[in-house]
Amino acid sequence: MNDQTQQGCPHIAVGIEREALRVTPKGHLAQTAHPAIYGDKLDNPYITVDYAEQQIELISPPAHGAEVVYSRILALTRIAQLQCRSDGELLWPSSLPPVGITDDEIEIAHYRDDESGRRARAYREDLAQRYGKIKQLFSGIHYNVSCQSSDDERYLRVVRNFLKYGWFLIYAWGAAPEPARPLSISIRQGEDGYHNLEEFYPDYSSVEAYCQSIQRFVDSGAISEPKEYYAPIRIKPADPEHSLESLRDSGIRYLEIRVLDVDPFDETGISVEALDFLERFVAFLSDTPCNDLDEQAQRDGDHNRRIVADRGLDPALTLRVDGREVPLVEQVEFLCAKLGLDPALEPLAKRIHEKMASQGFQNMMIELAELHQESAYATRWLLPGFEEWELSTQLLIREAVKRGIAVMPLDAGDNLIRLTRKWAGEDPRSEYVMQATRTGADTYITPLLMNNKTVSKLILDEQGIATPLGEEFTAEATTEVLIRWEDRPAVIKPKSTNFGVGVTIFTEGASLSALNAAAQEAFTHDETILVETYIQGIEYRFLVIDDEVCAVMQRKPANVVGDGVSTIEQLVTKKNEHPYRSRGYRSPLNTIVIDDAVREFIARDGYDPQSVPTKDETVFLRPNSNISTGGDSIDVTDRTDPYFKDLAVAAARAFNAMFCGVDLIIEDLTDPNSSYGVIEVNWNPAIHVHHFPLEGVEREIAGKVLEAIGLI
C-alpha cells in the first residue's frame, strides 16, 4: 500500500501509527488473542500489536498530503473494524482504556520463539514491572514525518522547536480529558500520564550529542534500551533494532510525534483537519530558527505540555516562556497567526467534555465505537484511497494488507499491482497481479483459448462436456447461415468478447430479419460471430480457482418487480438506489440502464419505459443475465449438486486454468441428472460479485486468490 502520489506539500511525507483496544460490545477488554488472520506480529507491516494482545496497532505507509494520508489510515482502520465486527468485538475509540480494567485482564503480547520474538516479549514484561500494565493501554496516534532533502540539522531544529511549542498541539487536538476535571485536555499527556520514571533532557545540538545522552541513560539503568525514552517527539533511525549505531552511521530517517490522542469522533482516530494542522505545524517548526535548547528550556517545555494537558481549558492559564509567565491565550493567538489559523480555535477536548457530560465516558465511547463500525460496514466493498480502482482489485489489496503482504500500486488504469511477501527467514517473494485474477499462475495461451468461443467449444466437446450446438460465420455468409436458424431458439454473439457485449438471445425463436439485426450488432464487436442453440434453464457462474469451485452464483437478468403504481422507468430508478449498484465495477452490481436494447426487448411483451407493471409482476429488461448489464447476483453455492461442481472443475482443467469463470445453463441445479450446457468459459473472472451477492452467502474469495498464487 505504498503511495507514490505527490499531493499537498511535496516536502513532507507522513505515516500514521494508530493504537486501539479491542473490546466487547459492552465495553470490556476483549479476552481474545490478536486475530490470526493478520499473520505474525513481527512480519505484518500494516497491522500488529502494541503492548498487549488486545491492543492493535495500525501502521500506514508514508504518503503526501492530508487527504491521502487520511485515506491510508482509514483503509487500515476499516480492515480492523470489519475484522472486529466478524469477531463480535468493537474497536475502542479513545486513548483512555475502558473503565474498570484490571491487570489480570491484560495479556502481554505473545511472539514467535526466536530472538526477535523473545526480545519483544521481554521488553514488554520489563515495562509491566516498571510502569504497570494499565498505563501501557493508554493508546495514541503517532505522526511519523520525513522531510524531502532534509539534513540532520533541519530535523533537529524541528525537534528543538517542538519541545518549545508542542503544548499547542495538545491544546488544539488533545482528546483524553478526565471527566471529573472540566478544564483537562489529556490525562495521557498530563502529570498523571505515561512518562519515564525519571526526567531526561538529552543534548539536541547534534546527532552524536543526542546518541551520547541516550546511551548514558541506558548505562545508568534508568531505561532498558533507547526506545524506552518516551520523548514527546522521537528521532528515528533507519534501523530501529540498532538505533544509536544507525543514527551515527546514516543519520535521521524521520521524526515521530507522539503527543496526539485518539480523536473519538473520527473513525481513524485523527481527522483530515488535524492532519492539515500538523503539516502546517511541522513546516513552522522547520522554518523557525532555534539553534539551542538547554535543559531549562526543555524543563519549561515539559511544564507547558503537562499543564496544558491538565488545565488547558482554563482561560486564566499561563505558560513559561523565556523565564516569564505568559498568558496561554496570548501564545495561542501568536501561534494561530504564524500558522494562518483562526485565533478562536476551539480545542477538541471541549467538545468531548460536552458529550461526556450528557452520556458519561463509557456510554459515549461504546456509542461512537458502534457508529464507526457500522460506517465501515456500510461501504465494506470499498477500500479508502483506492475507490477509483476496479472493485475486485480493491478487495484483493484489502486482503493482502490484512495478511501483511506488502502492496505496491503500479497502474490504476490497468488495475496492476505488485504483491510482496516477506516473512522472517524467507527470501521476499513478489507476484504481479492485474485485475485481481490475471496472474503469472495462468499461461499466456489460456486466456487466448478461452477468448475464442469456437475453440473453447471444441476443447470442451473433446472432453465430453456438453456445449450448445452452433456454428460460426463471417459477414459474407450471414444469410446462408441464419436461414437455417429461423424460428429456432438461438443465441447470437461475437466470437471473442466478454461481459455479455454484443450478445442477443431469442428464447422463442425469431424471424430472419431479427436474426440479421442481432448478427449486425455482434459484427460491431468481432469479424466472426456465432449462432448457437438456446438452452432452456437458469444461468449460473461457477468460479473455479486452483481446481476448486469457490462459489456458484445465479445471474438473474436485469429486472424490476411491479408495485402496481410505478412505471418501469421509476422502478429502475428505485432499484438503482441500492448501495450495491453503481457504474464501472466499483460496487458489487452495475446500475440498470434503459437503452435502445432494453426498449426493444420489453417492447416484445408490449411494454415501454412508461408502462406500469401489476403488483409483484416481474418484468425482465434484457435477455442476457450479465452483472455488467444490470443483472442480479444470487449465491447458490451450498445448493449446487457436486456433479455440476466437478463439471466446472473439469472445464477449467481443460484449459489448464488457475482462475476460471465457467458459465452453465442448468434446468435443476440440485439434480445431477438435469440437462445442462456450458455456454462459456471466462478468463479473468470478477471476484467482487461473490464477495457481495445481492442475495445469499458472502464468499471470501480474495484470500483464495492469494493462496492460489502462493502468497499465503
Side-chain angles (χ1 to χ4, degrees):
M1 206 167 63
N2 297 316
D3 179 62
Q4 295 179 319
T5 306
Q6 295 287 328
Q7 296 185 19
C9 176
H11 305 297
I12 295 178
V14 173
I16 300 296
E17 298 174 39
R18 187 256 173 107
E19 302 158 354
L21 299 176
R22 293 183 294 105
V23 301
T24 70
K26 293 186 177 181
H28 302 301
L29 194 63
Q31 293 303 296
T32 54
H34 182 67
I37 192 74
Y38 298 137
D40 192 283
K41 302 179 183 74
L42 297 177
D43 289 334
N44 192 320
Y46 307 116
I47 303 175
T48 182
V49 297
D50 186 64
Y51 174 78
E53 284 290 308
Q54 306 103 319
Q55 189 178 37
I56 199 167
E57 183 172 10
L58 309 174
I59 306 166
S60 72
H64 300 271
E67 294 282 353
V68 179
V69 172
Y70 183 83
S71 71
R72 293 298 184 257
I73 192 62
L74 178 60
L76 293 172
T77 301
R78 290 198 166 169
I79 289 170
Q81 288 280 20
L82 293 173
Q83 185 62 43
C84 281
R85 190 180 190 278
S86 68
D87 294 338
E89 298 173 348
L90 296 169
L91 212 57
W92 192 245
S94 175
S95 281
L96 304 179
V99 173
I101 287 178
T102 65
D103 278 2
D104 291 341
E105 299 174 71
I106 302 169
E107 184 68 29
I108 299 174
H110 297 284
Y111 294 90
R112 61 178 182 248
D113 188 18
D114 64 7
E115 182 180 353
S116 296
R118 289 189 290 272
R119 187 165 59 245
R121 173 75 182 189
Y123 173 65
R124 284 158 177 77
E125 289 175 341
D126 183 65
L127 293 179
Q129 294 297 319
R130 289 173 179 264
Y131 304 96
K133 285 184 174 182
I134 290 178
K135 277 194 175 181
Q136 304 298 323
L137 297 193
F138 280 33
S139 299
I141 297 282
H142 297 170
Y143 182 86
N144 300 325
V145 57
S146 60
C147 304
Q148 190 177 44
S149 303
S150 285
D151 55 20
D152 287 349
E153 175 49 39
R154 182 171 289 272
Y155 277 123
L156 289 170
R157 185 192 310 158
V158 171
V159 173
R160 292 191 292 263
N161 275 317
F162 185 88
L163 295 174
K164 289 175 61 177
Y165 299 114
W167 62 266
F168 187 48
L169 191 54
I170 297 171
Y171 173 80
W173 299 105
E178 165 61 57
R181 294 161 57 189
L183 300 179
S184 68
I185 284 181
S186 175
I187 298 174
R188 182 170 158 268
Q189 296 300 321
E191 286 294 338
D192 297 330
Y194 188 15
H195 310 292
N196 288 115
L197 299 175
E198 299 180 34
E199 301 292 354
F200 303 125
Y201 299 104
D203 185 342
Y204 289 103
S205 61
S206 68
V207 167
E208 179 57 35
Y210 171 80
C211 290
Q212 291 179 8
S213 300
I214 298 300
Q215 189 61 56
R216 284 197 299 272
F217 302 151
V218 174
D219 292 343
S220 70
I223 56 177
S224 61
E225 53 184 287
K227 67 180 179 181
E228 193 190 331
Y229 173 47
Y230 299 124
I233 182 169
R234 271 181 175 172
I235 292 170
K236 303 294 284 188
D239 179 4
E241 294 299 319
H242 306 88
S243 58
L244 300 185
E245 296 91 332
S246 181
L247 283 173
R248 288 184 170 110
D249 292 342
S250 54
I252 300 172
R253 185 178 183 185
Y254 66 95
L255 301 176
E256 180 187 57
I257 294 174
R258 297 171 51 83
V259 301
L260 283 161
D261 295 320
V262 176
D263 178 351
F265 297 116
D266 195 282
E267 185 180 340
T268 69
I270 185 168
S271 65
V272 174
E273 293 77 15
L275 289 166
D276 181 69
F277 175 100
L278 278 155
E279 190 168 294
R280 296 189 195 192
F281 192 51
V282 170
F284 161 73
L285 300 177
S286 176
D287 294 339
T288 300
C290 184
N291 297 324
D292 192 18
L293 193 74
D294 60 20
E295 183 174 315
Q296 186 56 52
Q298 291 190 56
R299 289 182 182 276
D300 289 347
D302 276 357
H303 168 80
N304 291 341
R305 287 190 301 277
R306 293 179 187 179
I307 198 171
V308 166
D310 287 335
R311 296 174 44 214
L313 299 181
D314 182 356
L317 189 66
T318 61
L319 303 180
R320 293 177 186 170
V321 180
D322 297 329
R324 58 194 180 92
E325 295 291 322
V326 177
L328 170 67
V329 291
E330 289 185 12
Q331 286 296 292
V332 169
E333 290 175 356
F334 165 73
L335 287 175
C336 283
K338 289 288 187 182
L339 297 172
L341 301 171
D342 185 346
L345 174 74
E346 183 175 271
L348 175 61
K350 184 177 179 182
R351 183 182 167 200
I352 296 172
H353 271 295
E354 291 170 353
K355 191 166 180 66
M356 283 196 301
S358 63
Q359 286 188 273
F361 171 76
Q362 193 80 352
N363 289 338
M364 169 188 172
M365 295 308 165
I366 291 174
E367 178 188 90
L368 289 172
E370 292 171 344
L371 287 173
H372 295 332
Q373 189 169 96
E374 286 310 304
S375 176
Y377 184 75
T379 55
R380 60 196 183 282
W381 53 87
L382 293 176
L383 185 66
F386 293 87
E387 294 91 343
E388 295 307 308
W389 290 62
E390 183 264 340
L391 188 59
S392 290
T393 302
Q394 290 188 51
L395 294 171
L396 187 65
I397 293 172
R398 184 181 74 183
E399 192 65 23
V401 167
K402 181 194 298 185
R403 294 170 179 270
I405 298 167
V407 179
M408 172 64 77
L410 298 175
D411 190 299
D414 281 341
N415 292 283
L416 181 61
I417 60 176
R418 183 175 68 215
L419 304 177
T420 302
R421 165 183 162 173
K422 185 178 181 180
W423 295 158
E426 297 182 7
D427 292 331
R429 177 180 175 183
S430 294
E431 294 285 341
Y432 292 91
V433 182
M434 186 173 179
Q435 297 171 358
T437 55
R438 297 168 76 172
T439 77
D442 280 318
T443 64
Y444 179 75
I445 196 63
T446 294
L448 299 180
L449 296 174
M450 289 185 177
N451 202 38
N452 187 309
K453 305 308 179 188
T454 301
V455 171
S456 296
K457 286 169 57 68
L458 174 64
I459 292 173
L460 292 170
D461 289 341
E462 289 176 343
Q463 297 299 314
I465 299 172
T467 63
L469 297 174
E471 52 189 312
E472 69 172 65
F473 57 96
T474 58
E476 293 78 9
T478 299
T479 302
E480 175 187 347
V481 171
L482 292 183
I483 199 169
R484 294 194 290 271
W485 291 83
E486 191 173 9
D487 297 326
R488 293 170 57 187
V491 178
I492 295 178
K493 59 186 176 182
K495 179 181 178 181
S496 303
T497 62
N498 282 304
F499 311 116
V501 175
V503 177
T504 305
I505 300 173
F506 299 99
T507 60
E508 305 296 334
S511 65
L512 184 60
S513 62
L515 292 171
N516 188 65
Q520 297 313 308
E521 169 63 21
F523 278 129
T524 64
H525 301 281
D526 203 329
E527 294 179 353
T528 304
I529 67 174
L530 302 176
V531 58
E532 297 176 340
T533 301
Y534 171 74
I535 302 175
Q536 291 288 343
I538 298 174
E539 183 177 341
Y540 301 95
R541 160 61 62 88
F542 287 67
L543 178 66
V544 180
I545 299 179
D546 196 15
D547 288 346
E548 175 190 356
V549 171
C550 299
V552 183
M553 179 182 65
Q554 178 186 343
R555 301 193 298 187
K556 192 175 182 180
N559 68 89
V560 292
V561 178
D563 59 11
V565 177
S566 305
T567 67
I568 289 176
E569 185 174 52
Q570 290 170 334
L571 291 169
V572 166
T573 299
K574 184 176 181 180
K575 190 164 186 175
N576 283 339
E577 292 174 355
H578 193 287
Y580 276 14
R581 293 192 184 273
S582 71
R583 294 178 181 268
Y585 292 94
R586 293 182 177 87
S587 64
L589 297 172
N590 271 20
T591 54
I592 301 171
V593 177
I594 297 179
D595 55 15
D596 290 342
V598 168
R599 292 185 182 92
E600 180 181 340
F601 183 76
I602 63 177
R604 300 175 188 178
D605 294 321
Y607 292 116
D608 64 42
Q610 301 310 312
S611 299
V612 178
T614 60
K615 183 171 173 50
D616 297 328
E617 178 187 4
T618 299
V619 177
F620 288 99
L621 307 176
R622 293 181 184 273
N624 63 297
S625 58
N626 296 76
I627 301 301
S628 58
T629 54
D632 296 341
S633 56
I634 304 168
D635 179 79
V636 293
T637 309
D638 297 333
R639 294 198 293 112
T640 304
D641 189 274
Y643 173 80
F644 295 112
K645 292 182 180 180
D646 292 343
L647 191 70
V649 169
R653 282 179 181 165
F655 296 86
N656 194 30
M658 176 67 75
F659 304 99
C660 185
V662 183
D663 295 341
L664 288 94
I665 290 186
I666 307 172
E667 279 196 319
D668 184 350
L669 189 71
T670 65
D671 180 4
N673 297 311
S674 175
S675 62
Y676 76 90
V678 175
I679 56 173
E680 277 190 356
V681 285
N682 297 272
W683 64 287
N684 189 208
I687 64 173
H688 65 274
V689 291
H690 302 289
H691 275 258
F692 305 109
L694 188 63
E695 299 175 26
V697 178
E698 298 183 358
R699 306 285 170 180
E700 178 56 66
I701 303 299
K704 298 282 189 180
V705 175
L706 296 174
E707 185 177 355
I709 59 178
L711 291 179
I712 59 174

